[in-house]
Amino acid sequence: MSEAFFRVDKFVVPAAAREEFLVKVMMTHKLLEAQEGFVDHRVLEQVAGPGEFNFVTIAEWENAEVVERVRVAVAAAHEAANFDPQEMFSRLGIRADIASYKPVSA
């Protein structure tokens, strides 16, 4: 059995872009919730500390195998909604660090 798999996305979001960014993140996370293999997700906003990234999203999946299928489904939903995340990032000056993670075994 495969172990849990996480997608962790970190963002630098200018204050003027906050509202639009959050609307699109919440829209995307609603899509994630409907996908087979979805476990949980969080959207976190930095409230203290010197960190560069002021938003972090974490999505947990049952295993790595479901992630490619989910990526295709989300891309299709974004296209159907005429939403291009890269265009939004560029237009609003948002920088992103997107990566996948697995638990560390002791």
Side-chain angles (χ1 to χ4, degrees), residues 21-92:
F21 170 78
L22 285 175
V23 165
K24 297 302 187 186
V25 165
M26 297 306 182
M27 175 191 81
T28 299
H29 278 244
K30 284 291 183 197
L31 293 168
L32 298 180
E33 290 174 353
Q35 302 302 308
E36 185 178 335
F38 172 82
V39 175
D40 195 15
H41 67 87
R42 294 282 186 269
V43 178
L44 307 172
E45 183 173 14
Q46 181 182 18
V47 295
E52 170 184 22
F53 299 101
N54 55 335
F55 284 93
V56 176
T57 64
I58 303 170
E60 181 179 356
W61 301 96
E62 288 178 357
N63 55 58
E65 290 75 31
V66 303
V67 174
E68 179 59 23
R69 182 177 29 76
V70 169
R71 187 195 66 73
V72 170
V74 169
H78 282 171
E79 186 174 337
N82 199 29
F83 171 54
D84 178 352
Q86 295 308 315
E87 181 280 327
M88 182 186 76
F89 293 169
S90 179
R91 177 173 46 82
L92 297 176

